[in-house]
Each structure stands twice: as C-alpha cells, then as structure tokens.
Amino acid sequence: MEEKYNPIEIEKRWQKHWLDSAADATARDASKPKFYCLEMFPYPSGKIHMGHIRNYVIGDVITRYKRMRGFNVLHPMGWDAFGLPAENAAILNGTPASKWTLDNIAYMKRQIAKIGCSYDWERELATCTPQYYKWNQWFFIKMFERGLAYKKNSSVNWCAQCQTVLANEQVIEDKCWRCDSTVTKKELDQWFFRITAYAEELLAGCDTLAGWPEHVVSMQKNWIGKSTGAELDFPIENSDIKIRIFTTRPDTLFGATFVCLSPAHPLAPILAGDKERLSGIRAQYDKQDAATAQTTLGMFTGKYAVNPMNGERVPIFVAAFVLMEYGTGAIMSVPAHDSRDFEFAKAHNLPIIQVITGENGASEPLEEAYEGAGTLINSGDFTGLHNKEAILKINEYIEKNGIGVAAVKYKLRDWGISRQRYWGTPIPIIYCKECGAVPVSEGELPVILPEDIELKGVGGSPLAAVDSFVSAKCPRCHRPATRDTDTMDTFVDSSWYFVRYCSKMTEPALDKSNIEHFLPVDQYIGGVEHAVLHLLYSRFFTRVLRDLNIVAVDEPFTRLLTQGMVCKETWKCPEHGWLFPEEAQGGKCSLCKQPVVRGRVEKMSKSKKNVVTPDDLTERYGADTARVFSLFAAPPEKDIDWSDQGVEGSYRFLNRLWTLIYSNIEKLKMHKRTGSSGGPLIRKTHQTINKVTQSIERDYHFNTAIAALMELLNEASSFRPSSDEDYAALCFAVHSMLLLLSPFAPHVCEELWQAIGEKKSVFHHPWPEWDEEAAKEEEIELVIQIDGKVRAKETISAALSDNDKKAIALDNKKIVELTTGKQVKQVIVVRGKLVSIVLEK
C-alpha cells in the first residue's frame, strides 16, 4: 500500500477492472428481489457538467447499495440522441447530424466512465439508431390502427423568409433564430396521439403515485385539468347560429352579462366587425399561454347573444384570456364571481350582477369578484338555494329543457407529434391517391432516415427535398405514392426507453419475460423540469403498451426523485458577455482584461458558462471526491451551491481515511474483526451502520449518511489501540466504514478493501448489519438535587453533554412542580452524574 493517496492512478485501474470483468452487467435472476434504478438519459450535447453528474451519482449510490443488499439490480444508460441541436449544428457547420451526435456520445461516455458509475453498458442505446426508432414507428402503426394516431389541421411557427416551420426554441422574441425575420402562425396538417382517450385513467392514476413528490403529482393533475360543469347554447340575436359555452359554475348563469370567444374560435372572424382589430388581438393571443394571458385584452364584436336562463341580451366579445384549447373556446362571463371576468368587465365598462351572496350579504358595488360559496340571489326560481345545491338543480333544468347538458372537460390536449425537422424518427405513413394515408408494412420497418442530405434550414421539411426518400409504393395497391416527410417529436423516444432497457441490445427489443421481470422502474431520478410532459407521456405510453399486451403495469415509475440543481456564481464581461470561471480569474476578463461583474448564483448552464466539468475535478481531486462532495453538500432534492472549499473538505476526508488505514495496515491485516464486544468504538460503529442504512432507506439523505461516516472516522482516528481486542475493534470499524462508504466512493474503497487483505470486491460483500444492543449508549442514573436535597432521579445516556443533562433535570416533572414560581439561581453538573439546582432565597 502506498503512503500517499493517489486517486488518479487508483481510479483508472479500478475503472478498467470493472469494465474488463463486466462487473456491472445485469442478468435476470428470479431468485433475488429485483430493483430497477434509472436516471433520465442525457441528450448528447457535447459535455456534461457537475449538475448532470450529481444526477448520475445519486442513482449509482442507490444501485450499489441495493446490490449489496442482495437485489437483482438493473442500472442502464443510453442517449436521447435525436433533437434540434444536432440539426442546427449541421446547418451552421455542415457537420452531418449523425456524426455530431455520435462524436458527442463518445466524448460524454468517457466523461461518465471517469466518475465510476456502475452502468450495464451491454444495454446502452441511442434513440437515433434504426434499431431503436424502428419501434417508435411500430408503436405509431399500432396506435394508428386503434385510432390513437390521427391527423388534423394545427398551427405552427412559420418563418416566411426561410420557408420553414420553427420549433418554439427557434423563435426568439418573435423572430427567427436564423434570419431574424418575424415569425407568424401557419395552419398545417399535423399528426397527433390521442392521449385524451386516457385522460381519466391518467388522472386517477395520480392517486397511486405514493412514491412521487406531492408537487409533481399536483402538476400532473393540473395539466390534465379535469373540470365538471355544463355545456349550453347562447343563441346569437337575429341569427340561427348558437355559441356553445362550457362552464364549471352553472350556479352563476343568471349573473352572465357578456359572452367571450377565444381569438382562435371559428366564430370570431365571422362575428367581429373590425377585422383589423381582431387580427391584432389574434397576434397577441398566439404569443401567450395560460400563464401570460392578458386579462383585459379584447374587443366587442358588435353582436349580441341571449342568455338562455333569463332571456337577457348579452354582448359578445373576443377576449385574449379565453383559450381555444380549453372547454369549447367560448365562455359566459360572470364578473361578479370570477376575477378575470371582473377585470375585463371593469376595463370595458360592462355590467356586474351579483347572484351569490356570502354570510355578509350582497354589497353594491362589488370591489372585487366574490368567488366563495353562498346563497343564490337574483336567480329566478333558484333564488335562496345554496350554490352547491343550485349547481345540481340548474343542471337538471337545462337538460330537461334542452338548453344544455352536464359535461366533463379536460385541459389536456392531444399530443401533436409532427415536426418539420430532419433529425428525428420518420413517420411511417405513405400517401396514395387511391388509398389515402396507409401505414408502412411492418416487414418494411424501419423507415430509414437518409444521411446523405444537405441541411440548409430553409424550404420546409428537409426530407421533402430527398426524392429517393419521398418516392414509395403504396403497401395496398402498389401504385406510386409518397412518404410522409415529417419526423416525430423527440418526446416519443423518451416515452418508452425504460422498456427497451429491460433487454440487452443483443436480445429481442420487447422480450416479455424480461419486461415483466424488471418493470416498473423502482426508482426514477431526474430534474423537476420534466415533471409534466415527459412523465405524462411516459405514463400514457405505458398504458398504450399495456393495452398492446407488451407490459403488465399501469405506471412506469414507482418512486420518483427530482434532484436539486447544482448552482454556481456567474461572471460577465461588458465586451465578451458570459465567461467561464477560469476566464474571470482575479476579477478581470482573460480576453480583454476589463473588470468583470459577478452575477447571481444560478443553476449551472452552458449558456451562462457557470459550469464545472467533471474532467476538471477528476484530474485534480479524483472522482470519489467529486462524488462525495455532490452528495454531502445537501439532501438530493435540494439545490447545492458550488463550493471549492467543500470540494477540498471532501478530499481531506478521503485522505484522512487513507492515512488511518495506512498507519495501521499491518495490524488490520493480522487481526480478525469483531463487532460483538463492548467499547466506545464498537458502539459508534454499530450506531453508524444504523444511521447510514436508515439515511439511505428512509429518504436518500446521503448527506447525513456521509456526516455519520465522518464522525466514525474521527472516532477511529483518535482511538489508540493497545491490545488485540482494541485492534479487533478498530478492524471492525474500518471494515464497516469501507463497506458503508463504498457506494459513495467506490474506487478508494475497493483499493483499501484489497489493502487490508480482502480478496473479493467490496461490492461482493453483503451490507453490514447493526446490533441494537451493541449500539445502545451506556446508561447512568442522574441524581437531581434542589438546594442540596435529592428530589428526583433519571436514567439517561452516559454520552449526553452537561447541557443536555441540565435540560433533562429542569424538565423533570417533579422538579418542575418544585420550582414553579421560584427563581433558579444556578444549575451545576457534578462529576457527570449529579445535577445541583440552587434557588434564589
């Protein structure tokens, strides 16, 4: 054993050993309980930073721990490899998207390997390979056959200058990212997945997600957005046209004083008199979402409708806050009882009629909308009813009289998957003049994405310019036909990849026995930014695959951990913009020597260059230090602020462990460990085994686990063995420490495990167990005196501090009774076993 800890040399050697011996490969083993641990796979953007590494290390600790607990653990890794950045790079640099992607994968794989994560690389996948996206196409065809994939007209971002559709990310302040011309909306035929067919099941399933963070479950529920209410028709005055509205508050129908249409409603251009004004509102509407909707933006159409409940004439408005995607795209507006309607009514000088009153009665005029429960007023025959009862009665009335029907609506919209992009999965549809849209024959899959293509960033879908791709024969009539030239949304790739991992890449992709053994994922780990779309689409896909008899589960992920971000201060130069940390040394820009501005501590991001790459750390301190710091700085669900001092502290911790073992190496090799005898070190070791195990099992609070190991190292380092029994105790402490630390710092623990004479890998040893009796603190009887007289006794732990003993004495029930109303002058601890309380005379 070397005297000096040399992490670089140690880690290279052990990483090679693990790879050569396939130490992390997983075979299906029905004799063990299974555990599937998965981190969200990365997009191969070029380099990973410590924010990514924290995610992977969290999963690696769980994986190594579960293996040591006897589980058959699956821990795979792959690449979410299709996407816009590769296509942009191809346009800007002339580099083929496939080469850019595969080069990045190779580089990032080397980075991940250096951090020592125990991935089963035999299951590595990249979504851009035909072997993978073949199944995207197969799933599409199966969904098409079941009516779950369909085509309809939908709006897209359109750059007239480039003659192409733009992704939302390519629209910067309403301008094209490439030519800076104004982006408009354009209607195109798009493919959709009918996720709404599973809306109710997806919503009900949220109640089974006990292992998910509550706020993520709430986000899923809100995105699905179930609303129970009524649909009814407001006839347009002097017209046969009726406006169908949806409301969740039929109890307020008598308070409707105007009707609002979404700017995207098909009736808006028909009814609006001022077409130019409507066009301006529509332009603003197209730029917003539900969170940024302008509450008061709107216009009077010049037309009126009739409230079917009371026959009142109500004006029809177009309002930007009404979303076409929700309900019917038209609402009745009740300003007295809805805050948005109230603001709109005030801005447009519209009447406000209160129809529900609370305990304080009606108030004239209302200063704000009353949205609470209460009793109906000004509501015809329904006046006097409590509004909850009135909802049922009014629903009965409108159905009986043919005015409307009770209805359930969802905010959830069908998933538009068409992308007018190149770097994605080709949609397996052929258009025939005779037969219409026909799916590609399954035997012809995959439809290969051509690689000999020049990307110019103009002219619509890039695949449309490739004649050899477009030309096809109809699978039914065999006449000349054309292929669909769109590609699939990359969320399709990530909606089932966890299923593909269940089998090795050399095995059938959808091997049912493998899938049934490993699914569902027991622990899923990733950023909260994926709390809605990716997770919702994965839940939807799992149900579709269940109905195709491919999987046997309803939910893909049993437990979800949304890890916090790694944050670091930002640096900015007035001339060169954001700077990497090394470019801002000494407070000056290394490029122009101007003073730089230190910005806020923010999430590590390539755009703001406040990143620390794992390469920097592993080359200086080693991977184990990087791992320990990223886990010790905060609980995994919390953000951590990058700290160079924290990194140094983690490095010192591992060095001290190395020094302890080096200093006692011969004795540790000679003595058999024992954890059964007494003594402070034995007790502390059992307590540490308990603490580390509980910290991992209960809530993955790895920071408290590492803190407990640091405490044990302190005690072991100060321990001065003088007998065989003492060395046996030290041996037990060291063995336990290496086993407990090994998931966090695998390289150094493997090295030290071998150094103390163990032959097999530390990870082939079972996780240590603690003894409750051995972990118990020694107890003493604490005597409590008041003014020299013994008044009470307490049995306590001998390890308690004097301050703890004083607190126990003063909290004793009898002592409280005797000192109530009296002034305590002094509290003294005598020889650790007596507390003397002196009262004021």
Side-chain angles (χ1 to χ4, degrees):
M1 179 183 180
E2 298 292 331
E3 179 179 2
K4 184 177 172 60
Y5 173 44
N6 184 348
I8 312 304
E9 186 273 327
I10 290 169
E11 289 168 5
K12 283 182 179 178
R13 178 156 35 83
W14 280 107
Q15 287 164 13
K16 184 177 186 303
H17 171 77
W18 294 332
L19 186 63
D20 291 347
S21 63
D24 302 315
T26 302
R28 193 174 82 230
D29 186 348
S31 69
K32 296 179 179 180
K34 72 93 181 177
F35 191 87
Y36 186 173
C37 184
L38 182 63
E39 302 94 64
M40 294 179 185
F41 63 170
Y43 178 77
S45 57
K47 288 185 179 180
I48 56 176
H49 56 66
M50 286 308 299
H52 303 109
I53 289 299
R54 187 187 188 203
N55 183 22
Y56 308 147
V57 170
I58 288 169
D60 194 54
V61 171
I62 297 169
T63 293
R64 292 181 183 277
Y65 168 76
K66 287 292 185 179
R67 283 178 181 157
M68 295 174 78
R69 295 303 299 255
F71 284 80
N72 180 209
V73 182
L74 176 60
H75 188 215
M77 174 53 77
W79 311 95
D80 192 8
F82 273 140
L84 200 57
E87 190 162 337
N88 289 345
I91 294 169
L92 292 173
N93 306 321
T95 305
S98 58
K99 183 180 188 308
W100 186 89
T101 301
L102 296 175
D103 285 351
N104 286 349
I105 287 174
Y107 186 87
M108 292 172 67
K109 186 174 179 179
R110 288 194 296 271
Q111 283 187 297
I112 291 175
K114 287 181 180 177
I115 213 71
C117 289
S118 55
Y119 292 121
D120 182 355
W121 290 107
E122 292 180 0
R123 298 170 192 267
E124 179 187 12
L125 62 82
T127 60
C128 65
T129 61
Q131 295 88 340
Y132 185 85
Y133 67 70
K134 165 187 176 179
W135 296 101
N136 288 350
Q137 295 169 343
W138 189 81
F139 295 140
F140 180 99
I141 291 170
K142 294 303 174 187
M143 293 167 77
F144 178 81
E145 292 170 350
R146 286 161 172 75
L148 294 173
Y150 68 95
K151 202 168 192 181
K152 71 173 183 178
N153 204 253
S154 181
S155 65
V156 295
N157 300 312
W158 178 256
C159 174
Q161 180 71 27
C162 296
Q163 285 291 294
T164 191
V165 173
L166 301 177
N168 289 335
E169 301 93 325
Q170 293 177 311
V171 181
I172 303 169
E173 296 181 353
D174 303 326
K175 303 286 186 181
C176 172
W177 71 286
R178 191 164 184 269
C179 71
D180 208 37
S181 60
T182 301
V183 173
T184 59
K185 291 290 184 178
K186 184 175 182 178
E187 298 292 319
L188 286 180
D189 280 346
Q190 307 275 287
W191 284 99
F192 287 81
F193 284 159
R194 204 180 301 276
I195 189 173
T196 52
Y198 290 83
E200 186 60 35
E201 188 181 343
L202 288 166
L203 183 63
C206 289
D207 293 331
T208 70
L209 302 176
W212 288 34
E214 287 184 12
H215 69 281
V216 174
V217 176
S218 294
M219 292 167 75
Q220 292 266 309
K221 288 181 175 180
N222 291 337
W223 191 265
I224 297 167
K226 181 179 181 179
S227 297
T228 303
E231 276 189 4
L232 60 160
D233 294 325
F234 276 60
I236 296 175
E237 193 177 58
N238 302 319
S239 170
D240 294 332
I241 301 174
K242 296 178 180 179
I243 300 174
R244 173 142 289 211
I245 66 99
F246 172 74
T247 178
T248 60
R249 296 292 306 273
D251 52 324
T252 65
L253 264 162
F254 286 86
T257 59
F258 57 102
V259 169
C260 286
L261 303 176
S262 166
H265 196 287
L267 287 177
I270 296 172
L271 300 180
D274 188 343
K275 299 297 192 287
E276 187 175 341
R277 174 72 175 137
L278 175 63
S279 178
I281 293 172
R282 176 62 191 266
Q284 291 298 311
Y285 170 84
D286 287 339
K287 297 174 187 175
Q288 68 182 25
D289 56 26
T292 60
Q294 300 179 60
T295 309
T296 61
L297 179 62
M299 62 172 287
F300 177 43
T301 63
K303 302 292 192 298
Y304 290 83
V306 177
N307 186 329
M309 292 298 289
N310 57 15
E312 293 289 334
R313 187 173 186 248
V314 292
I316 303 170
F317 277 75
V318 173
F321 70 83
V322 181
L323 303 179
M324 191 61 213
E325 294 78 20
Y326 178 65
T328 63
I331 64 168
M332 66 173 198
S333 290
V334 186
H337 304 292
D338 183 279
S339 57
R340 291 179 313 169
D341 294 348
F342 186 88
E343 286 186 47
F344 193 90
K346 285 291 189 182
H348 295 270
N349 198 29
L350 295 164
I352 299 173
I353 300 174
Q354 188 171 2
V355 293
I356 296 177
T357 178
E359 294 180 358
N360 298 325
S363 58
E364 293 288 347
L366 281 173
E367 295 182 1
E368 61 181 8
Y370 175 69
E371 297 180 315
T375 303
L376 264 65
I377 60 174
N378 303 322
S379 298
D381 294 341
F382 302 97
T383 296
L385 293 177
H386 188 275
N387 74 297
K388 296 295 183 186
E389 181 184 2
I391 290 173
L392 301 176
K393 295 287 187 184
I394 291 174
N395 275 348
E396 289 175 5
Y397 176 85
I398 64 175
E399 289 196 326
K400 182 178 179 181
N401 290 276
I403 297 171
V405 292
V408 174
K409 296 290 182 181
Y410 299 90
K411 286 194 294 186
L412 180 66
R413 301 293 91 189
D414 282 339
W415 173 11
I417 66 151
S418 290
R419 296 294 180 269
Q420 291 71 39
R421 311 247 56 87
Y422 161 68
W423 194 233
T425 300
I427 291 176
I429 291 289
I430 291 174
Y431 298 102
C432 173
K433 290 181 180 179
E434 299 295 326
C435 305
V438 182
V440 172
S441 302
E442 290 183 23
E444 298 298 317
L445 297 180
V447 177
I448 298 292
L449 186 69
E451 295 198 15
D452 54 340
I453 180 170
E454 183 181 359
L455 296 177
K456 299 177 180 178
V458 296
S461 179
L463 290 176
V466 184
D467 291 338
S468 60
F469 176 83
V470 175
S471 297
K473 285 188 177 181
C474 174
R476 288 182 186 162
C477 69
H478 307 296
R479 290 187 175 95
T482 58
R483 293 189 188 279
D484 195 302
T485 56
D486 286 352
T487 54
M488 295 186 200
D489 179 11
T490 54
F491 272 121
V492 175
D493 307 330
S494 59
S495 293
W496 71 279
Y497 75 111
F498 46 88
V499 178
R500 181 63 188 92
Y501 279 143
C502 293
S503 302
K504 297 178 182 180
M505 293 303 110
T506 55
E507 297 176 325
L510 301 177
D511 185 287
K512 195 162 184 179
S513 58
N514 287 333
I515 292 169
E516 288 184 352
H517 178 77
F518 285 114
L519 280 186
V521 175
D522 296 280
Q523 183 63 64
Y524 199 37
I525 305 163
V528 74
E529 65 270 20
H530 299 295
V532 177
L533 293 182
H534 162 59
L535 293 174
L536 187 64
Y537 293 155
S538 296
R539 296 179 64 220
F540 162 62
F541 243 79
T542 299
R543 284 163 169 79
V544 173
L545 267 57
R546 176 203 63 196
D547 293 345
L548 290 171
N549 200 31
I550 293 168
V551 306
V553 298
D554 298 332
E555 295 292 345
F557 314 121
T558 302
R559 291 183 68 179
L560 173 69
L561 172 63
T562 53
Q563 89 282 353
M565 298 179 292
V566 179
C567 305
K568 194 174 185 345
E569 73 276 0
T570 53
W571 297 94
K572 200 169 190 180
C573 169
E575 182 178 344
H576 295 99
W578 300 110
L579 300 175
F580 289 108
E582 60 270 20
E583 294 175 333
Q585 297 292 332
K588 290 189 177 182
C589 174
S590 63
L591 304 174
C592 66
K593 308 306 178 187
Q594 291 188 63
V596 296
V597 178
R598 179 174 178 168
R600 295 182 304 172
V601 173
E602 298 186 43
K603 171 189 174 182
M604 282 189 182
S605 69
K606 293 174 183 176
S607 62
K608 294 190 177 177
K609 299 186 176 181
N610 62 331
V611 295
V612 175
T613 69
D615 299 351
D616 299 335
L617 279 182
T618 55
E619 288 168 10
R620 183 174 179 184
Y621 297 104
D624 286 335
T625 292
R627 291 170 63 108
V628 170
F629 168 73
S630 67
L631 298 169
F632 180 56
E637 72 276 9
K638 302 292 184 184
D639 293 350
I640 62 173
D641 291 343
W642 187 261
S643 164
D644 292 335
Q645 293 79 13
V647 175
E648 290 280 358
S650 298
Y651 185 61
R652 286 195 301 272
F653 165 58
L654 297 180
N655 265 287
R656 290 180 59 233
L657 174 64
W658 184 276
T659 299
L660 169 69
I661 294 175
Y662 177 79
S663 301
N664 296 279
I665 188 64
E666 296 305 322
K667 294 287 188 181
L668 291 171
K669 286 181 179 179
M670 290 170 52
H671 286 79
K672 291 185 177 180
R673 61 186 183 277
T674 177
S676 57
S677 59
L681 186 57
I682 294 290
R683 179 166 55 249
K684 185 66 174 178
T685 303
H686 281 288
Q687 291 172 347
T688 304
I689 297 170
N690 182 6
K691 179 75 172 182
V692 173
T693 305
Q694 295 301 326
S695 293
I696 297 174
E697 285 284 352
R698 187 172 55 248
D699 46 22
Y700 298 147
H701 277 198
F702 305 130
N703 57 319
T704 60
I706 294 171
L709 285 163
M710 289 177 173
E711 288 182 14
L712 179 58
L713 178 59
N714 289 341
E715 187 139 339
S717 297
S718 61
F719 185 65
R720 296 292 177 262
S722 58
S723 64
D724 286 347
E725 186 177 354
D726 287 347
Y727 276 109
L730 179 63
C731 190
F732 173 66
V734 167
H735 272 77
S736 300
M737 211 178 325
L738 292 177
L739 289 168
L740 296 171
L741 183 61
S742 61
F744 305 94
H747 310 86
V748 69
C749 289
E750 283 273 42
E751 185 74 8
L752 292 173
W753 189 251
Q754 301 285 315
I756 60 176
E758 296 292 344
K759 302 301 182 187
K760 294 183 178 179
S761 167
V762 67
F763 298 107
H764 291 167
H765 195 285
W767 188 258
E769 302 285 345
W770 74 92
D771 185 306
E772 290 284 359
E773 286 300 315
K776 281 184 179 178
E777 291 286 354
E778 181 184 350
E779 293 182 335
I780 61 169
E781 185 176 64
L782 183 69
V783 177
I784 309 170
Q785 293 181 346
I786 298 178
D787 291 337
K789 294 183 179 180
V790 175
R791 297 297 188 184
K793 295 179 180 179
E794 287 266 11
T795 301
I796 65 167
S797 167
L800 291 176
S801 68
D802 284 355
N803 285 336
D804 289 335
K805 292 170 184 175
K806 290 178 184 180
I808 289 171
L810 292 171
D811 284 343
N812 179 275
K813 185 177 179 181
K814 189 172 182 181
I815 299 302
V816 170
E817 292 173 357
L818 294 171
T819 57
T820 298
K822 299 175 183 178
Q823 189 70 34
V824 175
K825 180 180 180 181
Q826 198 173 18
V827 182
I828 305 167
V829 178
V830 182
R831 292 191 299 277
K833 296 184 178 182
L834 182 146
V835 176
S836 176
I837 300 170
V838 181
L839 301 178
E840 293 279 3
K841 301 300 183 186

